[in-house]
Amino acid sequence: EPEVTQTPSHQVTQMGQEVILRCVPISNHLYFYWYRQILGQKVEFLVSFYNNEISEKSEIFDDQFSVERPDGSNFTLKIRSTKLEDSAMYFCASRSGTNYGYTFGSGTRLTVV
Amino acid sequence: LAKTTQPISMDSYEGQEVNITCSHNNIATNDYITWYQQFPSQGPRFIIQGYKTKVTNEVASLFIPADRKSSTLSLPRVSLSDTAVYYCLVGEAAAGNKLTFGGGTRVLVKP
């Protein structure tokens, strides 16, 4: 079964540092997403990406966040200057244009210290 | 966006059938009902989706009454590995749409 792959699985960073979370979506999927889940809380939508541009973003996705699909396979989430409250699991997801279900990756656990 | 209400938690035993009911009183005509499963420290996993009546796949069944104001996810003969959080989501099935997760139902399967 095709998978969405995320790296790294864990990342510890100092407050104020930049982090890049990486995702390899399923190859024939067209829609890409980032979600996050703070420990013990709901899964929250961050951003959706289609046709090489952001199609929707939440209020969480402020100027500190950016996404890129640099080479047609990777899909990255950059947090420019991390804050303690950015500590969470970050999930990448992708979806084809025809299949209803989203496929999520296993996540990157980001800890900001 | 239709609001969903589901029990916070449920306990069951191995081999039993688990039924989780989700209320979505203000579901819209174009909305589909989708269920996801999430294990600890993993991403949500699509289980099943339906619009009306009954849908069944190799993992679960989804029962949707005629008024579509609720739905029931049925997990047959659960095992310990079915312990997870189950989310009911309601929204349009258009490919670009985001998912809006609620709190889900935490199902604990006991031996």
Side-chain angles (χ1 to χ4, degrees):
Chain A
E1 188 175 326
E3 289 185 346
V4 173
T5 305
Q6 289 188 243
T7 55
S9 55
H10 294 88
Q11 172 113 29
V12 181
T13 188
Q14 292 210 323
M15 192 167 52
Q17 295 295 304
E18 174 184 286
V19 294
I20 298 176
L21 310 183
R22 301 181 193 280
C23 169
V24 179
I26 293 172
S27 62
N28 63 348
H29 282 189
L30 302 175
Y31 300 85
F32 313 109
Y33 308 83
W34 284 99
Y35 289 78
R36 79 172 187 190
Q37 186 173 32
I38 296 170
L39 186 63
Q41 297 188 23
K42 298 176 185 178
V43 177
E44 300 174 289
F45 168 76
L46 292 178
V47 66
S48 58
F49 192 86
Y50 171 71
N51 201 24
N52 285 318
E53 60 182 25
I54 290 173
S55 46
E56 187 175 356
K57 58 184 180 180
S58 72
E59 56 190 31
I60 302 169
F61 194 89
D62 61 21
D63 291 344
Q64 295 299 315
F65 291 86
S66 62
V67 289
E68 237 186 358
R69 190 159 156 79
D71 55 12
S73 61
N74 291 286
F75 180 48
T76 61
L77 174 69
K78 182 192 292 186
I79 308 174
R80 191 172 13 256
S81 177
T82 50
K83 304 188 276 283
L84 295 176
E85 54 265 37
D86 293 327
S87 295
M89 283 286 286
Y90 287 80
F91 296 109
C92 173
S94 69
R95 187 182 185 190
S96 75
T98 54
N99 189 346
Y100 294 139
Y102 293 67
T103 303
F104 283 80
S106 295
T108 293
R109 181 178 300 283
L110 176 66
T111 302
V112 182
V113 297
Chain B
L1 212 63
K3 180 175 160 50
T4 59
T5 303
Q6 50 184 126
I8 294 173
S9 65
M10 296 178 71
D11 287 358
S12 183
Y13 290 91
E14 280 191 292
Q16 288 190 335
E17 179 181 82
V18 171
N19 296 305
I20 309 170
T21 296
C22 178
S23 297
H24 27 80
N25 289 318
N26 59 342
I27 188 169
T29 304
N30 294 335
D31 286 345
Y32 282 72
I33 300 150
T34 313
W35 285 81
Y36 282 79
Q37 174 192 56
Q38 186 181 27
F39 298 116
S41 296
Q42 291 191 28
R45 184 176 78 105
F46 172 86
I47 301 175
I48 199 166
Q49 183 177 70
Y51 184 80
K52 61 181 179 182
T53 63
K54 178 183 172 183
V55 181
T56 297
N57 61 21
E58 64 277 6
V59 175
S61 294
L62 178 59
F63 299 91
I64 306 168
D67 67 5
R68 304 203 322 125
K69 292 184 184 300
S70 67
S71 58
T72 299
L73 176 74
S74 180
L75 306 171
R77 297 179 300 282
V78 293
S79 62
L80 297 178
S81 61
D82 292 316
T83 292
V85 179
Y86 293 82
Y87 299 97
C88 165
L89 286 80
V90 172
E92 291 193 25
N97 284 359
K98 66 178 186 281
L99 300 176
T100 301
F101 287 85
T105 297
R106 189 172 302 274
V107 173
L108 174 62
V109 180
K110 302 175 183 176

